[in-house]
Amino acid sequence: MQCPVCTRQLTPKLSLETTLYSCPNGCGLWFAAGTLPRYLKSLVKSERIKPTSTRLFQRRHVERVSQDENTSRKCPECQNRLQSLNYGYDSNVWIERCPICTGFWADRGKVTQLARHFKSDPKIVAAGQILAQEAKQKQRLPDSPQFTDMGLSLLPIPILPTGTDEECERVPWVTISLITLCCIVYLYQWQVCQDGEAFINRYAFVPAHVWSIHQITSLFLHHNVWHLIGHMVFLWFLGRNVEDRLGWLRFLGLYFFGAMAANLLTGWATPSLNINCIGASGAIAGIMGAYLILFPLTWMDVGIGEFNIKTPAIIFLLGWFAFQIYNGLFTDHTSTTAISWFSQVGGFVGGLLFAMLFRNYDQREVCYEQE
């Protein structure tokens, strides 16, 4: 095989258990079909590559074309013309692909740039792991039959998102505001008020009285700091991307629509229960449902106890939803855990329906056109 740049004979070599072909003049590397993703995965896990700095609030422009552009270079294997593409859609690292044999040609230094783009920020991953570990050891929610925390899952170990590959192009002000408001209410509830449980009794949502302002006020109440942190972690890592996609006004509508859907299903399923329901899990479940529609193939970092894994959003979200349904099938519908299940299922379905209405809308594209 010949180098598509200088036409010299490519030299095969084994790197990170992957066979690739390099140009003797250092023009670049050729990857046969299926080998580049495997090599990048190994390279990202190795210590050779340092991650790029976190650019959470920095606007990121994605270089795009209407279709792949043909180049003058030829495939080393089949001599067909190579096509240029932005690898991974948003890496802004352009390499060349053969449309026939599906191999990739990467100019010198491009593979390192790709690995840096895909490598997660270790500070964010470490913070998520610490949070998950501490939550596992210290979280002790009340067992009183008079309260339900409407928690995000009923698993014996915490499962929390610790990052996503989707970047924000604007500051997610609504997400930040909701997190701030929940924290302020929590501090007032447990530090300023003399009786935190009385405060809950006053503002919690009760399924037997579904049509009340408590549908809204209950969203900002939490039993303890771990209950609060668990909800805010989900809201931060998923909500900021959904807000970036839909815009602040639609995102705020989604948040309260998911909460109302959760409360309505809970009130319909358990109309006679006088149990105080608090927490933002219905609204956050709605955000999770919307995330499934808007970003199904985005890769997510998920902390499971002391471990951290990377998985497509569709697998994590559908798995989470399936577990809620499974749990609900084997739960007494008059129990507090049943209310948690109804809340999460209702919010998730509400988020799915809301996102379907705006699945073709992208606030980021509107901003690009205005510029």
Side-chain angles (χ1 to χ4, degrees):
M1 295 189 292
Q2 294 181 338
C3 171
V5 179
C6 66
T7 69
R8 288 197 60 180
Q9 195 72 17
L10 296 177
T11 303
K13 67 175 184 179
L14 185 65
S15 177
L16 297 177
E17 300 182 354
T18 302
T19 301
L20 47 87
Y21 299 85
S22 64
C23 173
N25 290 337
C27 297
L29 297 171
W30 172 255
F31 296 86
T35 58
L36 178 57
R38 184 168 66 248
Y39 182 75
L40 281 174
K41 184 176 181 180
S42 300
L43 193 58
V44 166
K45 292 182 178 180
S46 71
E47 298 298 326
R48 302 183 189 180
I49 302 298
K50 302 299 181 183
T52 54
S53 59
T54 301
R55 294 170 302 213
L56 181 59
F57 298 141
Q58 179 178 337
R59 180 176 181 134
R60 178 176 177 79
H61 174 71
V62 177
E63 298 177 3
R64 285 171 287 183
V65 291
S66 58
Q67 58 184 355
D68 291 344
E69 296 179 339
N70 289 322
T71 69
S72 59
R73 298 176 180 178
K74 294 183 178 181
C75 172
E77 295 187 32
C78 64
Q79 298 304 304
N80 192 69
R81 284 189 180 274
L82 298 175
Q83 294 178 331
S84 181
L85 81 160
N86 187 346
Y87 191 85
Y89 169 74
D90 66 345
S91 68
N92 287 347
V93 179
W94 290 76
I95 61 177
E96 291 159 299
R97 176 187 61 185
C98 176
I100 304 301
C101 65
T102 67
F104 284 95
W105 170 260
D107 288 333
R108 184 176 182 179
K110 292 293 184 69
V111 175
T112 300
Q113 294 177 32
L114 287 174
R116 286 175 179 167
H117 172 77
F118 290 118
K119 187 157 187 174
S120 301
D121 189 327
K123 294 181 180 179
I124 294 179
V125 174
Q129 291 174 337
I130 293 173
L131 174 62
Q133 184 176 6
E134 290 182 351
K136 177 183 178 181
Q137 296 173 350
K138 299 181 180 181
Q139 186 173 19
R140 294 293 184 270
L141 298 178
D143 296 326
S144 170
Q146 298 303 315
F147 295 91
T148 175
D149 65 349
M150 299 176 74
L152 279 169
S153 74
L154 303 175
L155 290 172
I157 59 175
I159 297 182
L160 299 171
T162 58
T164 69
D165 286 350
E166 195 71 27
E167 295 186 354
C168 291
E169 299 181 0
R170 289 169 304 279
V171 180
W173 289 116
V174 172
T175 301
I176 294 174
S177 299
L178 289 171
I179 292 174
T180 302
L181 182 58
C182 286
C183 293
I184 291 175
V185 171
Y186 178 81
L187 291 175
Y188 181 84
Q189 172 187 339
W190 295 110
Q191 300 299 325
V192 179
C193 288
Q194 297 180 352
D195 190 343
E197 292 194 0
F199 190 83
I200 289 178
N201 288 331
R202 182 176 181 181
Y203 294 106
F205 167 71
V206 178
H209 307 286
V210 64
W211 297 110
S212 70
I213 191 62
H214 294 169
Q215 283 204 36
I216 304 300
T217 58
S218 63
L219 295 177
F220 305 100
L221 304 177
H222 293 87
H223 277 304
N224 58 36
V225 68
W226 299 112
H227 185 204
L228 173 70
I229 289 176
H231 282 164
M232 295 306 101
V233 167
F234 272 88
L235 177 56
W236 173 247
F237 283 110
L238 301 183
R240 62 188 186 186
N241 294 144
V242 176
E243 180 183 349
D244 195 43
R245 173 71 176 268
L246 296 180
W248 72 269
L249 186 59
R250 290 177 177 82
F251 174 73
L252 196 59
L254 166 66
Y255 189 83
F256 290 111
F257 184 81
M260 290 189 63
N263 292 334
L264 289 176
L265 180 61
T266 302
W268 172 79
T270 57
S272 61
L273 289 186
N274 288 301
I275 296 176
N276 290 330
C277 304
I278 66 174
S281 61
I284 296 172
I287 293 175
M288 295 171 72
Y291 204 97
L292 176 63
I293 298 297
L294 302 176
F295 307 102
L297 300 182
T298 293
W299 285 85
M300 297 177 60
D301 295 306
V302 180
I304 304 178
E306 300 177 2
F307 302 96
N308 195 80
I309 64 172
K310 203 171 184 69
T311 179
I314 188 173
I315 294 178
F316 171 69
L317 296 173
L318 287 180
W320 177 89
F321 185 60
F323 182 82
Q324 309 310 309
I325 296 178
Y326 173 83
N327 181 79
L329 293 176
F330 298 96
T331 301
D332 179 7
H333 287 189
T334 63
S335 68
T336 58
T337 53
I339 292 183
S340 293
W341 172 72
F342 286 126
S343 170
Q344 289 148 194
V345 171
F348 193 90
V349 173
L352 286 175
L353 297 176
F354 189 96
M356 286 179 181
L357 295 176
F358 301 102
R359 64 186 307 171
N360 295 323
Y361 177 86
D362 193 338
Q363 179 67 26
R364 299 169 299 185
E365 297 291 344
V366 175
C367 292
Y368 283 137
E369 292 175 1
Q370 292 176 348
E371 295 178 354

